[in-house]
Amino acid sequence: MREVHVVGIRVSDEQAAGEEPKSRAVLMLREALGARRYVPVAIGNAEATAVVLEQEGVTPVEPLTHDLINNLLVALGHPLLEVQISDYRDGTFKSDLIFHGALRVPARVSDAVNVAMRARAPIYVDEQVLDEVALVERSETEG
């Protein structure tokens, strides 16, 4: 497993033949150390908004769902230890929230990352997943 950090949200425009263009939110994760690989994860607009609000330090008047989840975990004495993104199959990532006692709770990557951001918990991606889906940053000298 390799630690990754949330870079932010990018908007990707897609257009199928004969259809209007659609904007799609893409969560960008980057390896914390070593290679300069990025993991792009397509997510919903609500989850993308939650990522941006957290990155910008905006506190909503009422807690968002991911805030509520983190608040519940803390109140119940079960803080999130880490998030693991362990598999990628048929265009879908598999991720788990990890707690004490090796307790694993499956979650969508978009939700897992949002909760991790609020809990200040590390996010890890399996090396094989990185090898399969990561984009490699090219340096200016590579052209």
Side-chain angles (χ1 to χ4, degrees):
M1 291 276 182
R2 303 280 298 207
E3 185 173 3
V4 296
H5 295 153
V6 175
V7 174
I9 300 295
R10 302 293 180 260
V11 178
S12 167
D13 291 324
E14 300 174 351
Q15 184 172 6
E19 292 185 13
E20 292 293 318
K22 294 181 197 173
S23 292
R24 183 165 185 109
V26 179
L27 169 67
M28 296 299 291
L29 304 173
R30 182 179 184 200
E31 268 184 292
L33 301 172
R36 299 177 308 243
R37 296 184 289 182
Y38 291 83
V39 178
V41 182
I43 65 173
N45 290 333
E47 293 79 11
T49 299
V51 167
V52 171
L53 290 174
E54 183 64 20
Q55 280 190 315
E56 293 182 359
V58 175
T59 303
V61 175
E62 296 292 329
L64 299 177
T65 303
H66 305 104
D67 300 307
L68 171 63
I69 292 168
N70 185 55
N71 294 344
L72 280 170
L73 293 171
V74 170
L76 295 172
H78 298 288
L80 177 65
L81 296 179
E82 65 187 47
V83 164
Q84 294 181 359
I85 302 171
S86 57
D87 197 12
Y88 179 78
R89 237 178 251 176
D90 301 323
T92 302
F93 290 92
K94 178 185 181 291
S95 66
D96 294 292
L97 303 172
I98 309 297
F99 299 93
H100 284 289
L103 176 63
R104 303 176 76 88
V105 176
R108 296 183 308 172
V109 170
S110 57
D111 292 328
V113 166
N114 264 296
V115 174
M117 290 176 72
R118 285 150 178 82
R120 308 293 184 254
I123 303 164
Y124 296 97
V125 177
D126 185 270
E127 190 75 40
Q128 287 183 318
V129 173
L130 280 167
D131 290 342
E132 183 176 347
V133 303
L135 305 173
V136 179
E137 178 182 41
R138 294 181 351 166
S139 71
E140 290 180 22
T141 57
E142 291 176 294

